Amino acid sequence: MNTQPARNPVRQITTASLVVGAVAFGMVLAGGLKMTPTSQSAAAPLAASQVAGANIATHALPSFADLAEAVDPAVVSIQASTISKGGGDEDGQRGGGVDPFEFFFPNNPRNPRQQRPQAPQGDGPERRQDAGGSGFVVSPDGLIVTNNHVIDGATSVRVHLGDRDYPAEVKGTDPSTDLALLKIDAGHSLRYLELGDSEKTRVGDWVMVIGNPLNLDKTVTTGVVSAKGRSIGINPDSAFENFIQTDAAINFGNSGGPVVDMDGRVIGIATAINAGAENIGFAVPVSTLQEVLPQLRDKGKVIRGYLGVQIQNLNFETAQSFGLDTTDGALVGRVEDNTPAAEAGLKHGDVLLSVDGRKIKTTRDLIDYVANKGPNTKVKLVVLRDGKQIDKVIKLGERPGQIQQASNDKPKGRSGIDWLGIQYQDLTGGLRNEHGLPKDAQGVWVTDVGASSPLYEKFVRPGDLITEVNGRPVDSTDAFEKAIGEVKSGTFVRLYVLRFSGQNDNGQPFFAVVRVP
């Protein structure tokens, strides 16, 4: 008698179905993730012409070998040297001891916000300070893009390309975007990289970084775009920070190197890392480079239009407090004195809806548009004020640079509104002198913010000055409490807040909006 168990036909059919389903799912997944990118052809640019038709992905995961081979001939290493007599920086770094890679770490002694002053120059022995970075060729006549901090303050700059070194001319620099343009004369046409479209780059797209980390020539790292539109506060003018974040490793010496897409087109310029994390790097988007490149090439610097306002994006609650149905627009936090905006009569609390007929969805829309206009250009703004739309025609000025920091002072005070969860006090002459506040500053000084306070989530901190409640000035704790008490339950309270960073500072303004319980 056969003692083998009988085969179950239902089980056989089920097993076969699962196998077929798994294979089909794998095919759909591979297609959905674009494991095999479509190639694009271009006649002149190096990477696009060589990568076109290359089999970038032949297995489950892509191989970057063909891409790296195609991009490599247009990537350069940069040696920037500074020679000075006597003195110099204590740590041998240019620019006051600032290392652009070690930024925004509060405990880092080389944080840009904690720069050490340069020692005085003298007639002593010469000192040489060297710095290195990366770059890439963007035209056959030898134009090279890198970061401004790679060559900032250098006495001489040399570019290593292939097996040769070339002296480089600094054609232009832009500290606001941390970009610089160099020029070398190789005696022949150079192979170069094509600029891509960072606006179309999506979070999750594959990218490759190539450069010279730690003086290790032509190192390739890969990863994905982790995020877009990052602002991390390392540039002299943070309004122009719009970084691409990537997990492709960026290391010391990569700065200025290209971040390329799967077609070999540049979508970013490797700029900075967070050394306290693993593979959190930041790149200037190529869209920023495309905006400033003509001026860097022709003028040596970038001249931008200037309104003279500090603006912020609207969130749902802030929009509701202004009676808006959407979060489109740019909210004016401050109008600087003696600026085009001040002369045109703009006020804090205005919401800017459009510029020259272009809808303003976020502050980036307004900043980029105005910056790309030259000084003395007139622009037309549609402004929402007190629920009504008004038109303002403003003649732009030239944009200056500025750096502002936050205060960490934490004095104590009184708390008369329990649900707000803060302590505050009247602004006294002693506080004005101690913190260098303007003599005409009026408001309620915040001395403590509880961890459960709704204002904590709105970034209100000790040392801030609350000057208005729903557009109504408050010059004392009594006036503040009265104004808060008159706001109906379930509606929004809009606080206008100033944050001071040092002596003779006018304060960094922002709005904090919370709902009354």
Side-chain angles (χ1 to χ4, degrees):
M1 178 179 291
N2 189 347
T3 60
Q4 293 288 332
R7 296 182 179 273
N8 188 333
V10 174
R11 179 177 299 175
Q12 287 180 311
I13 294 172
T14 302
T15 302
S17 299
L18 289 174
V19 172
V20 172
V23 172
F25 176 76
M27 295 173 64
V28 172
L29 179 62
L33 292 179
K34 298 182 179 178
M35 289 302 196
T36 307
T38 56
S39 59
Q40 300 181 19
S41 61
L46 166 66
S49 61
Q50 290 200 357
V51 175
N55 190 6
I56 300 298
T58 57
H59 305 290
L61 291 175
S63 169
F64 291 84
D66 290 341
L67 182 61
E69 184 178 349
V71 172
D72 177 87
V75 180
V76 307
S77 61
I78 297 171
Q79 184 73 29
S81 302
T82 302
I83 299 176
S84 59
K85 286 189 176 182
D89 298 340
E90 295 177 2
D91 59 0
Q93 296 287 332
R94 296 196 316 271
V98 178
D99 191 328
F101 290 102
E102 297 186 75
F103 61 91
F104 76 103
F105 308 119
N107 296 323
N108 189 335
R110 295 175 69 176
N111 189 303
R113 302 185 190 280
Q114 301 169 348
Q115 297 182 23
R116 292 189 292 277
Q118 288 186 326
Q121 301 295 311
D123 296 326
E126 287 187 339
R127 295 185 58 187
R128 176 174 176 137
Q129 302 162 357
D130 293 321
S134 305
F136 56 97
V137 183
V138 292
S139 68
D141 61 348
L143 288 177
I144 293 170
V145 170
T146 188
N147 280 137
N148 178 66
H149 72 250
V150 171
I151 54 88
D152 186 30
T155 304
S156 65
V157 179
R158 297 189 68 82
V159 168
H160 181 79
L161 175 62
D163 59 356
R164 291 188 57 186
D165 287 337
Y166 301 92
E169 172 193 1
V170 179
K171 290 286 292 182
T173 61
D174 182 32
S176 290
T177 58
D178 198 11
L179 293 174
L181 186 66
L182 310 179
K183 178 74 164 62
I184 64 172
D185 183 6
H188 58 84
S189 294
L190 297 177
R191 301 163 79 179
Y192 64 98
L193 296 184
E194 182 181 5
L195 302 183
D197 188 347
S198 55
E199 296 300 314
K200 292 182 179 179
T201 301
R202 300 184 304 163
V203 173
D205 281 348
W206 283 105
V207 291
M208 184 183 77
V209 177
I210 185 167
N212 308 282
L214 302 175
N215 291 324
L216 299 173
D217 191 40
K218 302 296 179 64
T219 297
V220 171
T221 58
T222 62
V224 298
V225 173
S226 304
K228 296 177 66 178
R230 293 296 199 209
S231 179
I232 53 180
I234 64 168
N235 285 348
D237 193 339
S238 60
F240 294 102
E241 291 190 344
N242 186 29
F243 289 112
I244 295 172
Q245 180 183 330
T246 178
D247 67 351
I250 298 175
N251 294 292
F252 297 89
N254 271 121
S255 195
V259 180
V260 300
D261 61 17
M262 294 296 286
D263 292 316
R265 295 179 172 87
V266 180
I267 59 97
I269 300 90
T271 298
I273 61 172
N274 184 332
E278 289 200 11
N279 295 350
I280 295 182
F282 301 93
V284 175
V286 78
S287 59
T288 299
L289 172 64
Q290 290 168 323
E291 291 171 357
V292 303
L293 189 57
Q295 291 197 64
L296 290 178
R297 181 187 62 227
D298 300 334
K299 300 178 182 178
K301 63 179 182 178
V302 179
I303 300 174
R304 297 181 170 90
Y306 179 60
L307 275 175
V309 293
Q310 295 181 27
I311 53 178
Q312 65 186 70
N313 289 320
L314 294 164
N315 58 29
F316 174 78
E317 293 177 344
T318 306
Q320 290 285 300
S321 74
F322 280 95
L324 294 171
D325 295 329
T326 72
T327 57
D328 291 350
L331 175 60
V332 177
R334 174 192 292 284
V335 178
E336 302 292 347
D337 294 334
N338 303 316
T339 62
E343 294 176 1
L346 286 185
K347 299 179 180 179
H348 72 264
D350 286 346
V351 179
L352 309 182
L353 302 177
S354 69
V355 54
D356 287 343
R358 299 169 181 261
K359 192 172 184 179
I360 300 171
K361 289 184 172 292
T362 68
T363 57
R364 178 61 47 193
D365 298 328
L366 180 62
I367 291 170
D368 289 346
Y369 185 83
V370 169
N372 289 330
K373 296 290 183 180
N376 299 318
T377 302
K378 291 184 178 180
V379 297
K380 180 181 178 181
L381 292 171
V382 175
V383 181
L384 180 68
R385 180 183 296 171
D386 298 329
K388 299 179 180 179
Q389 291 189 14
I390 57 176
D391 294 338
K392 293 285 186 180
V393 177
I394 303 178
K395 184 177 181 181
L396 301 178
E398 182 176 342
R399 185 183 185 91
Q402 59 184 357
I403 300 176
Q404 294 182 320
Q405 302 176 13
S407 169
N408 292 317
D409 299 314
K410 295 184 178 182
K412 296 298 178 182
R414 75 186 240 193
S415 177
I417 307 173
D418 291 339
W419 69 267
L420 274 180
I422 63 173
Q423 292 184 343
Y424 47 88
Q425 68 177 74
D426 288 325
L427 184 60
T428 64
L431 282 173
R432 286 192 182 91
N433 293 333
E434 180 182 356
H435 299 285
L437 274 58
K439 293 181 179 179
D440 59 351
Q442 297 289 335
V444 173
W445 186 256
V446 178
T447 60
D448 195 24
V449 182
S452 61
S453 167
L455 290 176
Y456 186 91
E457 296 180 357
K458 304 304 178 182
F459 306 104
V460 175
R461 296 294 183 267
D464 289 344
L465 184 68
I466 300 173
T467 66
E468 293 180 4
V469 175
N470 287 350
R472 175 177 167 183
V474 290
D475 58 3
S476 67
T477 55
D478 290 338
F480 173 68
E481 292 172 0
K482 181 179 180 182
I484 294 290
E486 292 176 356
V487 182
K488 296 180 179 179
S489 297
T491 60
F492 290 102
V493 170
R494 185 179 71 246
L495 304 181
Y496 184 60
V497 186
L498 298 179
R499 178 167 294 166
F500 299 89
S501 61
Q503 296 293 318
N504 301 318
D505 180 11
N506 288 325
Q508 175 72 32
F510 64 96
F511 286 91
V513 178
V514 295
R515 189 189 293 271
V516 179

